[in-house]
Amino acid sequence: MKNLSRRNFLQLGGLGILGAASAYNPLGNLMIARAQSEITLQTWGSFITTNNALLEGALATWAATNDASVNINFTGFDALADTLSTAAATGAGPDAIMMLHARPHQFSEALVDVSDIVNEIGDANSGWFGVAEEACMVDGVWRSVPFFVAAHAMVYREDLFAEVGFDAFPETYDDLLVAGTALKEMGMPLGFSLGRADGDGNNFVFSVLWSFGGAVTDADDNIVLDSAETRMALEYVQQLYNDAMDPNVATWDDGANNRAYLAGEVSCTNNASSILWAGRRDGVDFIESTNHALYPAGPAGRNQFGQVHSFGILNSSENIDATKEMLSFINSDTVWQLLGADGFAFLYPLFRSLEDDESMAWNAEPKLGAFKGLAEDVHTHGWPGSPSAAASQVASDFVLSDMFGSVAVGAASIDEAIATAVEQIEDIYGA
């Protein structure tokens, strides 16, 4: 079992988390009977390291009072995807694992039905945001426990946008092109990944496609990518790339936009709150001119992709009941009052009850105010059609990122890029 340090033990005790466990050794060596359940949890390791420590400490406390031990493995997004693929193929893996986006649909046959605890958590917390159901419910069954959406916004330099005549962030993509063109002329282009970036890249291309009225599938799950709306979106991104963007975006990975912004190479990108957090940590000289704004609206309105994080229990687990209890605890007010306040708006709970809580970062920090409410309006893979294993694979195979990127750099015409993408999508959907 992960032992609490004296400092973390006292911090958690002061916040009322230890409860009955406070009678144990104050040095943190929690003396319990031999654990009956040995739970392994693989989860994403936050860039906010204190968040990892808080989760680890809270789970050690939970384990101490529940005849259990919890072994947490903090990893990156790629490792989570690899573990899921391996577990689905071999039937072996951790008891619980964090999943991104609509992957509960992609790996549903390897996951336990968790409807009982998801319904209990939702009932106790004013219900779930719609995107939680989109991502985690498969054919009427909750296959994953919603945890948080990594709220995304436009991250931009207020000082530089003001220099080109924009005292507020552009409301529309057309106005963003105007601002970006002027910013590129002054040597500070925009930076939105058109490479194979699972988080920020997919977030950008899906959001743009939807906001121009395009989609992979319609509400009846027909493949509709080949459309006038998709062509408008591609024409727009091609012009944005040529006139307003850093040319390197075509090869950016998920961390490249953060690095470029913090190095003072771009004036704007799409991201969660991690850029502002890292800039303050590292003392970047211009960081306090950074702010956040909603994504712009397109001809079809403002439609944004949401990066959902959830926990699935693998059906190979020998500790299903104990793991369910642990995941219920992770979604309790006790834990969220710690993680949400410390998480700098990156962790936005997928239930509704804490949205107006004064301790949550989006209510406490003015520069994070743009994140508030985003969980209400975002969508996951497959929208406006059904989330599905196929919809998830379209994103994990970077079909749209490749389509937009190839047009932007001139490697394919719009017709060629759409035809290639449609062929890949038809193969994935078995059409």
Side-chain angles (χ1 to χ4, degrees), residues 19-345:
S22 60
Y24 291 91
N25 185 340
L27 294 178
N29 297 316
L30 302 176
M31 306 300 292
I32 61 174
R34 182 167 177 244
Q36 295 178 356
S37 301
E38 297 180 0
I39 302 170
T40 56
L41 170 65
Q42 185 172 346
T43 187
W44 169 73
S46 175
F47 59 92
I48 303 174
T49 55
T50 51
N51 231 239
N52 300 331
L54 287 170
L55 178 61
E56 193 171 35
L59 287 180
T61 301
W62 173 86
T65 56
N66 285 275
D67 285 340
S69 65
V70 180
N71 179 28
I72 308 177
N73 182 18
F74 291 107
T75 62
F77 293 144
D78 290 344
L80 291 173
D82 290 344
T83 299
L84 265 173
S85 296
T86 301
T90 66
D95 292 291
I97 186 168
M98 176 174 279
M99 290 180 286
L100 269 66
H101 315 311
R103 284 181 185 152
H105 293 262
Q106 192 172 356
F107 296 97
S108 63
E109 293 185 359
L111 301 172
V112 169
D113 179 353
V114 290
S115 300
D116 51 353
I117 60 170
V118 174
N119 289 328
E120 288 176 3
I121 296 166
D123 290 345
N125 291 281
S126 305
W128 297 102
F129 290 110
V131 73
E133 183 173 320
E134 287 181 21
C136 303
M137 182 180 279
V138 183
D139 296 329
V141 175
W142 290 96
R143 291 293 175 184
S144 188
V145 181
F147 187 33
F148 70 90
V149 60
H152 271 233
M154 291 286 142
V155 186
Y156 72 106
R157 291 273 300 270
E158 290 180 304
D159 55 339
L160 299 179
F161 273 73
E163 284 189 42
V164 297
F166 286 81
D167 293 328
F169 193 80
E171 287 286 332
T172 67
Y173 279 107
D174 285 345
D175 284 343
L176 179 62
L177 175 60
V178 173
T181 300
L183 287 160
K184 187 171 182 176
E185 289 174 354
M186 65 183 285
M188 289 298 295
L190 310 178
F192 305 114
S193 176
L194 296 176
R196 292 193 156 202
D198 190 24
D200 301 335
N202 269 330
N203 192 303
F204 178 70
V205 296
F206 274 91
S207 298
V208 170
L209 179 68
W210 292 340
S211 294
F212 276 77
V216 174
T217 57
D218 64 15
D220 296 319
D221 293 324
N222 300 304
I223 298 171
V224 293
L225 185 67
D226 190 350
S227 68
E229 292 79 9
T230 297
R231 283 176 168 77
M232 283 195 299
L234 286 165
E235 289 168 357
Y236 173 80
V237 170
Q238 184 179 48
Q239 186 174 3
L240 191 73
Y241 175 81
N242 289 327
D243 296 350
M245 294 240 271
D246 183 325
N248 295 310
V249 300
T251 59
W252 276 5
D253 62 16
D254 250 334
N257 60 327
N258 298 53
R259 295 189 294 269
Y261 187 98
L262 291 169
E265 296 169 356
V266 297
S267 55
C268 173
T269 189
N270 65 309
N271 208 70
S273 60
S274 53
I275 287 177
L276 178 60
W277 183 89
R280 286 179 172 175
R281 177 198 62 190
D282 297 339
V284 173
D285 57 2
F286 59 79
I287 200 62
E288 290 309 319
S289 68
T290 295
N291 209 340
H292 301 91
L294 293 175
Y295 275 43
R302 181 180 286 112
N303 295 300
Q304 186 175 331
F305 179 82
Q307 183 174 311
V308 173
H309 296 235
S310 63
F311 286 115
I313 301 175
L314 294 171
N315 54 26
S316 58
S317 171
E318 297 180 357
N319 302 291
I320 291 173
D321 289 342
T323 304
K324 283 184 176 182
E325 292 177 14
M326 179 192 70
L327 294 181
S328 293
F329 175 72
I330 287 176
N331 256 322
S332 67
D333 277 354
T334 298
V335 174
W336 264 111
Q337 288 291 346
L338 289 173
L339 300 184
D342 185 63
F344 209 65

